[in-house]
């Protein structure tokens, strides 16, 4: 009896597992169906969009070509009119002269015939006047009429090779790509930003430049955020917990036109942006409070972050414009804010001086980084290395710190007496002119 019940329980267990497996299998199939539907919709939508673009483009070309041909025809017709008018004008003048001569000859002829056929008494006087008049008119002087070979004979020279050239150019104009040569690859969350990476999917395509665009909502237009040769870009000023759409295209080596856009993809960050604390005398902040400028005030002190927004596992980056350096200058992170300090070169803090010296809990390390230069970046990366039990009462706690500057880095362990889930960052500069962007 017990064996039978055990067998039933086993069968029930196997049945339940099979049911769960079937449900999981069904969910997976449904998800794949949705993927197929999305793929089919993407093909149809992109095909429709491509047809619209092609039809609009060639319609515009037709209109432009017709306009250009009409303008050229009008120019040639005007040229014919000018040549015709300039060539006929001297002929018209010659015709008027000849017609005047014919009229004069008719008058002279009538007068001569009258003198010859007149009365004998008056004939002598009429013949004398006629003879004088005929000599005055110079009947042997005739206007010159140009021969046909000397006058313009207009014609149109039309080179049929234009049609061949246009035909060859038109047949090579435009291409249809089944997929763009670059695609978005990865979105990395950053405080107040997203690091966007992309890659080539067409190995035969040689990229010269990339162009990254984003939009905040589906109805808004895409806007350029980066044009350059790097295959990644950190987009800042991103609102947390908001989906942004990105797309990227490329320009081939030696080409002027851009490739088709990649498939738009959404990216977001859940990390609030890093901000400096406002109101500290000696520092002026940008509107987003991610840029601090050391002003001309004589007041000295450490400018801290508004909140402990740096977490282990992230990369904290400072990018600066340099001023006059001082050995007390510092850029770094700390466990807590503390008033009255002139520098982060103190306990419970790690930092780098503008001359490249590295300080851990106020002590200078033997390893040193290059001096901070204008436009360079200083990065801090940390990971937790637990030494012993950690509780609210404290305990041994170790962070492995990597500080990088100008393509060099130092790695060390930072031992603390308390657990630190998050850290403040800070900076201090003795002289004005320093400007620091944090992200």
């Amino acid at each position: 009896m017990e064996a039978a019940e055990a067998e039933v329980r086993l069968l029930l267990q196997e049945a339940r597992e099979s049911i769960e497996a079937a449900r999981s299998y069904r969910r997976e199939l449904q998800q794949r169906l949705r993927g197929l539907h999305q793929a089919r919709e993407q093909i149809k939508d992109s095909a429709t969009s491509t047809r619209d673009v092609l039809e609009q483009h060639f319609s515009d070309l037709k209109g432009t070509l017709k306009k250009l041909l009409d303008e050229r025809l009008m120019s040639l017709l005007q040229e014919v009119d000018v040549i015709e008018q300039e060539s006929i004008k001297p002929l018209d003048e010659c015709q008027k002269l000849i017609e005047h001569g014919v009229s004069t000859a008719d008058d002279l002829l009538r007068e001569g015939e009258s003198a010859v056929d007149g009365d004998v008494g008056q004939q002598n006087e009429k013949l004398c006047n006629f003879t004088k008049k005929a000599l005055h008119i110079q009947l042997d002087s005739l206007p010159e009429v140009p021969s046909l070979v000397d006058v313009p004979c207009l014609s149109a020279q039309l080179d049929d090779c234009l049609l061949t050239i246009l035909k060859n150019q038109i047949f090579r104009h435009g291409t249809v790509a089944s997929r763009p040569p670059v695609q978005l690859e990865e979105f990395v969350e950053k405080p107040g930003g997203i690091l966007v990476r992309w890659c080539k999917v067409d190995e035969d395509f040689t990229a010269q430049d990339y162009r990254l665009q984003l939009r905040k909502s589906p109805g808004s237009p895409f806007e350029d955020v980066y044009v350059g040769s790097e295959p990644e870009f950190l987009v800042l000023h991103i609102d947390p917990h908001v989906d942004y759409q990105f797309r990227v295209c490329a320009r081939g080596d030696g080409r002027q036109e851009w490739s088709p856009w990649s498939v738009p993809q959404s990216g977001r960050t859940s990390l609030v942006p890093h901000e400096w604390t406002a109101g500290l005398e000696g520092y002026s902040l940008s509107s987003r409070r991610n840029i601090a400028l050391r002003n001309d005030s004589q007041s000295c002190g450490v400018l801290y972050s508004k909140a402990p927004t740096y977490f282990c596992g992230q990369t904290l980056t400072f990018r600066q414009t340099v001023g006059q350096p001082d050995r007390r200058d510092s850029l770094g992170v700390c466990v807590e804010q503390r008033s009255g300090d002139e520098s982060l070169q103190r306990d419970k803090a790690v930092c780098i001086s503008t001359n490249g010296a590295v300080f851990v809990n106020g002590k200078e390390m033997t390893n040193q980084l290059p001096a901070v230069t204008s436009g360079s970046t200083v990065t801090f990366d940390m990971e937790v290395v637990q030494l012993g039990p950690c509780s609210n009462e404290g305990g041994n706690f170790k962070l492995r710190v990597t500080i990088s500057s100008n393509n060099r880095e130092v790695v060390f362990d930072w031992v603390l007496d308390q657990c630190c889930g998050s850290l403040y960052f800070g900076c201090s500069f003795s002289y004005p002119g320093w400007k620091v962007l944090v992200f």
Side-chain angles (χ1 to χ4, degrees):
M1 187 68 178
E2 291 180 358
E5 291 179 354
E7 184 177 356
V8 169
R9 286 195 296 271
L10 180 60
L11 290 173
L12 285 174
Q13 180 64 28
E14 291 177 350
R16 293 190 184 98
E17 291 176 353
S18 298
I19 291 172
E20 185 59 34
R23 287 173 178 168
S24 177
Y25 180 64
R26 184 181 61 181
R27 285 194 300 269
E28 183 65 26
L29 289 176
Q30 290 173 340
Q31 184 175 353
R32 290 173 183 266
L33 281 175
R34 287 192 293 270
L36 286 174
H37 176 73
Q38 291 174 349
R40 183 178 289 106
E41 289 301 312
Q42 177 174 301
I43 293 172
K44 290 183 176 180
D45 292 345
S46 62
T48 300
S49 175
T50 302
R51 290 189 190 97
D52 293 341
V53 169
L54 288 172
E55 290 174 356
Q56 184 62 47
H57 176 74
F58 278 85
S59 176
D60 293 342
L61 277 181
K62 290 178 184 178
T64 302
L65 284 174
K66 184 179 184 305
K67 181 180 178 182
L68 292 174
L69 289 173
D70 289 343
E71 290 177 354
R72 182 55 181 164
L73 174 59
M74 186 60 63
S75 174
L76 291 172
L77 291 176
Q78 290 175 352
E79 189 174 343
V80 171
D81 293 341
V82 170
I83 295 174
E84 181 185 27
Q85 292 171 6
E86 291 179 348
S87 301
I88 288 179
K89 183 177 180 181
L91 299 181
D92 289 341
E93 294 174 352
C94 185
Q95 180 177 341
K96 290 179 181 179
L97 184 61
I98 292 174
E99 289 174 348
H100 178 71
V102 171
S103 177
T104 302
D106 288 342
D107 293 342
L108 186 62
L109 183 60
R110 284 192 297 270
E111 187 175 343
E113 290 174 348
S114 175
V116 171
D117 298 336
D119 297 337
V120 176
Q122 298 177 345
Q123 190 176 25
N124 189 29
E125 183 180 356
K126 287 184 177 180
L127 288 172
C128 184
N129 290 336
F130 171 74
T131 303
K132 289 180 180 179
K133 190 172 183 180
L135 291 173
H136 179 71
I137 292 176
Q138 298 180 348
L139 295 175
D140 59 344
S141 176
L142 295 173
E144 184 177 355
V145 177
S147 63
L148 292 179
V149 297
D150 293 330
V151 297
C153 181
L154 278 71
S155 63
Q157 286 77 50
L158 301 173
D159 192 351
D160 291 339
C161 73
L162 175 63
L163 294 177
T164 302
I165 295 173
L166 286 175
K167 181 179 178 181
N168 292 334
Q169 291 293 330
I170 289 172
F171 283 168
R172 290 199 301 265
H173 180 68
T175 57
V176 176
S178 60
R179 54 176 56 84
V182 292
Q183 291 282 13
L184 295 167
E185 182 180 30
E186 185 181 18
F187 298 100
V188 181
E189 293 187 58
K190 296 289 182 179
I194 301 173
L195 178 61
V196 184
R197 293 192 175 105
W198 51 88
C199 64
K200 289 197 309 175
V201 293
D202 183 355
E203 294 301 326
D204 297 329
F205 182 83
T206 302
Q208 175 180 307
D209 292 305
Y210 298 102
R211 182 181 179 190
L212 178 67
Q213 289 188 335
L214 71 75
R215 65 181 178 183
K216 190 172 183 179
S217 58
S220 60
F222 279 97
E223 298 179 357
D224 287 342
V225 291
Y226 173 75
V227 175
S229 59
E230 297 297 324
E232 65 178 34
F233 181 72
L234 177 61
V235 184
L236 297 174
H237 312 318
I238 294 294
D239 295 329
H241 309 293
V242 174
D243 286 327
Y244 289 80
Q245 273 200 325
F246 294 87
R247 66 181 186 181
V248 67
C249 65
R251 180 161 49 197
D253 190 19
R255 305 295 293 270
Q256 293 297 320
E257 71 277 7
W258 291 100
S259 74
W261 291 104
S262 67
V263 177
Q265 295 188 39
S266 295
R268 64 157 50 195
T269 180
S270 59
L271 307 176
V272 297
H274 292 317
E275 294 182 9
W276 298 103
T277 300
L280 181 65
E281 187 178 358
Y283 294 90
S284 304
L285 305 184
S286 63
S287 59
R288 289 182 175 267
R289 295 187 292 277
N290 61 337
I291 300 176
L293 172 66
R294 180 67 167 92
N295 56 37
D296 296 332
S297 173
Q298 297 299 318
S299 176
C300 293
V302 177
L303 176 66
Y304 292 102
S305 57
K306 181 180 178 181
T309 52
Y310 175 63
F311 296 88
C312 292
Q314 299 178 2
T315 297
L316 178 69
T317 304
F318 299 99
R319 182 177 296 152
Q320 54 280 318
T321 300
V322 302
Q324 181 181 344
D326 186 272
R327 61 180 181 81
R328 296 168 297 174
D329 296 340
S330 60
L331 283 167
V333 296
C334 56
V335 174
E336 59 191 5
Q337 293 180 335
R338 207 164 71 182
S339 60
D341 294 320
E342 293 186 355
S343 174
L344 282 175
Q345 300 171 16
R346 60 168 177 82
D347 62 332
K348 296 186 178 181
V350 293
C351 68
I352 176 176
S353 177
T354 53
N355 63 7
V358 178
F359 292 84
V360 182
N361 290 331
K363 296 180 179 180
E364 184 175 354
M365 295 181 61
T366 55
N367 292 336
Q368 185 165 331
L369 292 169
V372 174
T373 57
S374 194
S376 67
T377 58
V378 176
T379 63
F380 287 75
D381 290 276
M382 299 188 186
E383 59 177 335
V384 177
V385 180
Q386 194 82 35
L387 281 183
C390 184
S391 65
N392 293 333
E393 288 76 24
N396 292 327
F397 191 73
K398 182 168 67 173
L399 298 176
R400 184 150 297 155
V401 182
T402 302
I403 306 178
S404 303
S405 177
N406 287 322
N407 297 321
R408 289 183 57 187
E409 64 180 30
V410 294
V411 182
F412 56 90
D413 289 338
W414 181 23
V415 179
L416 298 169
D417 59 1
Q418 63 187 78
C419 294
C420 294
S422 59
L423 297 165
Y424 291 88
F425 56 86
C427 68
S428 64
F429 301 102
S430 300
Y431 298 102
W434 289 89
K435 184 167 67 173
V436 180
L437 165 68
V438 60
F439 57 91

